[in-house]
Amino acid sequence: MAAGAVEALGMSVAWALGEVPGLSGGSLAAGLGVRAVVYTVVLLVVARFWRGRNWARLTLAVGLGVVGMLSLVLEPVSWLADGHSLADALSEGGLALALTIAIRALHVAAVLVGLALMFRPEANRYFRDARRGLRARG
């Protein structure tokens, strides 16, 4: 979530500096509004995740791992499919846009690592123990 928040901030700064060709203020505002709603829901689910609720783990895996990942890669892939290149973006934009692209890559990596960690044997044990009531006191 931190990578997503930093990415949103970076995109806002890049847009304010005129470094994001073709992005309107309305589109940016709508994107930020959607992120605010999604992040609020994710925080609520994460609170249950930390309490060992397996449904929260599965919800995060599907929500962030599938839907979230699609939202992270669909826009850049579509943009590239339209005939643009990363070199185009970097030459048309400035430092803020370049940093935002790097943060997006970090964001994708963070989601993949988070997904892998959520299903490691230690995590499975954590959720199994919570189901048995061993973590109910915490």
Side-chain angles (χ1 to χ4, degrees):
M1 281 191 48
V6 171
E7 179 189 336
L9 178 62
M11 185 59 80
S12 299
V13 169
W15 176 83
L17 295 173
E19 295 182 4
V20 187
L23 180 65
S24 71
S27 293
L28 178 65
L32 292 174
V34 168
R35 281 182 185 240
V37 170
V38 168
Y39 291 173
T40 299
V41 170
V42 167
L43 283 173
L44 293 171
V45 175
V46 165
R48 297 299 178 196
F49 175 92
W50 284 114
R51 291 188 175 151
R53 303 297 187 258
N54 197 51
W55 67 263
R57 174 169 65 158
L58 297 174
T59 299
L60 290 172
V62 172
L64 298 180
V66 177
V67 178
M69 185 61 75
L70 282 174
S71 75
L72 288 173
V73 299
L74 191 59
E75 178 189 1
V77 167
S78 297
W79 189 79
L80 290 169
D82 285 342
H84 299 95
S85 71
L86 186 57
D88 291 341
L90 295 175
S91 67
E92 292 175 18
L95 179 60
L97 183 58
L99 289 173
T100 301
I101 291 169
I103 293 166
R104 170 75 58 104
L106 177 67
H107 192 171
V108 168
V111 170
L112 293 173
V113 169
L115 283 170
L117 292 174
M118 285 190 335
F119 292 96
R120 288 186 42 87
E122 297 85 355
N124 293 335
R125 217 173 3 262
Y126 178 84
F127 286 95
R128 187 175 48 249
D129 289 351
R131 201 171 35 249
R132 291 180 184 156
L134 299 176
R135 299 203 189 274
R137 291 174 288 183

